[in-house]
Amino acid sequence: MPIKTFPLRGIKDSPPYLHDGRLPTLDDATEFFNIVLELRLTKKEKEAITAYMMFL
Ligand code: HEM
């Protein structure tokens, strides 16, 4: 079954994140996906993903 995702445009202006608001910041969102998806991102990679979402 496909997973339905949605655009992240304007995401920086609508904290907290996830349906239950468990993630206060986009840094937390990046770390959340790093852990649940087992991405093993470096600090630099995490900073880049957060910066990207801040820019959308
Ligand atoms: C580094 C990878 C990822 C980042 C940075 C990311 C970022 C985010 C953020 C910021 C949200 C919160 C949106 C909101 O509260 O309005 C979110 C929610 C969500 N993302 Fe991702 N995402 C990633 C990977 C994925 C992947 C791989 C999938 C699906 C295969 C996915 C599916 C979803 C779904 C279904 C939600 C809604 C969850 C909920 O509301 O509880 N994401 N994502």
Side-chain angles (χ1 to χ4, degrees), residues 3-6 8 11 14 16-20 22-23 26 29-30 33-34 37 39 41 49 53:
I3 299 173
K4 197 171 179 187
T5 61
F6 45 84
L8 290 175
I11 193 70
S14 61
Y17 303 107
L18 298 196
H19 64 278
D20 58 359
R22 74 174 80 168
L23 306 174
L26 285 177
T30 300
F33 282 100
N34 182 44
L37 301 174
L39 299 177
L41 298 170
I49 290 171
M53 290 192 287

